[in-house]
Amino acid sequence: MTDAPDAHAVSWHWEDSPAPGSITPVVEGVSLFRLPLPIRLNHINVYLIDDPDGLVVVDAGYNTADCRAHWDTLLAQRDLGADPRVICTHYHPDHYGLVGFLVERYGFRVIMPQTEWIVAGFLARAGDDQIARASQDFYRRHGMDNARLNQHAGRGNAYRASVHSVPPDYTRIADDDEITLGGRRFRAITAGGHTPEQLCLFCAADNLLLSADQILPRITPNTSVFSYNAGANPLGEFLADFSKFGALDNDTLVLPGHDRPFRGVKRRIDALVSHHDARLEDVLGWCREEARTACDLVPLMFRADLDLHQQMFAIGEIIAHLVLLQTRGQLERTEHDGVWAYRAT
């Protein structure tokens, strides 16, 4: 963001980060509602859009008592209108966790991409044993030792606890659809990588992008392979789908799911691509030295003090890099006693 005020200027600076539960006007008719998260990434940005048909919220926050209380406080003071809607950008629990709460308690209608709806429903309903077995098989294949396998199995279905409930129905929004919110016409841009069909919304008239977690100003969105998307190439999708944002320029005001609104989206996309190019070169170099499993690469790519939640994302991110390099023909995969290792071709 520049310091010079203009029609799109944000009314706060990062040094004065919004407090949990606070509402900060961003542009006319759009406000940022900051909610806390019980993880290292300690907040999420929910966006409130004033619409004559009813309040529109983009994303819902994590299923915690704190977040539910913040919603109760906010919505007790608001006229929800005849058709309140919650637009969920993707299935991750910090975005989807309280969608069901808003539906059940306040009568919101759900709008989200179909794949995100399906994955959220599957994960929220899966049993502990089902998730534990799939995770153990998956991580064992990628070189995890028995001690850590047992730790991960003990987590069961952590996703289910982070989600309030699964709504009974939803309205689908797909890539290139248009939707009017608060008098602005937005075009849907869906992108893979972070999740299969993450939703971003772009208003060309006001040069305004709600970018969810696809484009964040300072951190790199996680692009992981997990047991439930084991055949996917999320990093390849993530990099390829930046082409969908080609019409944007550096004056676009970006409203991300975390951190602060910013400008300079083309520079940020270039930085994200460069970051992954460098990571791919690192992985390729390590696999030239010797064949490596995904778990072999964790201490090389990440710091040592990762908790279980962070380990899961670290391994998933490494597998995504290995898969992309294998897809490009730069790595080959070997198997020994059911464990996969990768070496440079």
Side-chain angles (χ1 to χ4, degrees), residues 21 26 59-60 94 118 140 178 180-182 186 188 190 209 223 226-227 231 255 266-267 297 304 314 318 329:
V26 181
D59 289 327
D94 49 334
I118 292 169
R140 181 181 293 110
E178 292 193 345
T180 299
L181 305 170
F186 288 89
T190 61
L209 176 71
T223 52
F226 301 109
S227 60
L255 308 186
K266 283 187 176 292
R267 291 191 296 271
L297 293 166
I318 287 168

Side-chain angles (χ1 to χ4, degrees), residues 229-310:
N229 71 333
N233 179 13
L235 183 54
E237 294 176 14
F238 181 70
L239 297 174
D241 282 352
F242 279 136
S243 64
K244 295 184 177 184
F245 298 87
L248 277 62
D249 59 44
N250 280 320
D251 290 330
T252 301
L253 179 61
V254 184
L255 308 186
H258 305 278
D259 212 325
R260 60 172 176 169
F262 70 100
R263 298 187 196 274
V265 64
K266 283 187 176 292
R267 291 191 296 271
R268 185 59 188 145
I269 289 173
D270 287 345
L272 289 167
V273 172
S274 295
H275 165 81
H276 282 294
D277 284 345
R279 286 299 203 188
L280 288 164
E281 281 301 317
D282 288 340
V283 171
L284 190 57
W286 292 321
C287 292
R288 284 194 186 103
E289 296 171 356
E290 59 182 280
R292 311 265 191 178
T293 68
C295 286
D296 289 336
L297 293 166
V298 171
L300 299 175
M301 187 177 283
F302 296 96
R303 65 179 192 277
D305 61 337
L306 300 179
D307 60 28
L308 281 178
H309 180 80
Q310 293 165 338

Side-chain angles (χ1 to χ4, degrees), residues 129-139 141 227-228:
D129 289 345
Q130 178 186 3
I131 294 294
R133 283 196 305 272
S135 295
Q136 280 194 307
D137 290 344
F138 177 75
Y139 291 125
R141 190 179 306 133
S227 60
Y228 51 84

Side-chain angles (χ1 to χ4, degrees), residues 168-188:
D169 53 36
Y170 80 113
T171 299
R172 182 184 181 186
I173 187 168
D175 192 52
D176 220 30
D177 283 353
E178 292 193 345
I179 185 170
T180 299
L181 305 170
R184 292 182 172 92
R185 194 69 174 165
F186 288 89
R187 178 171 62 88

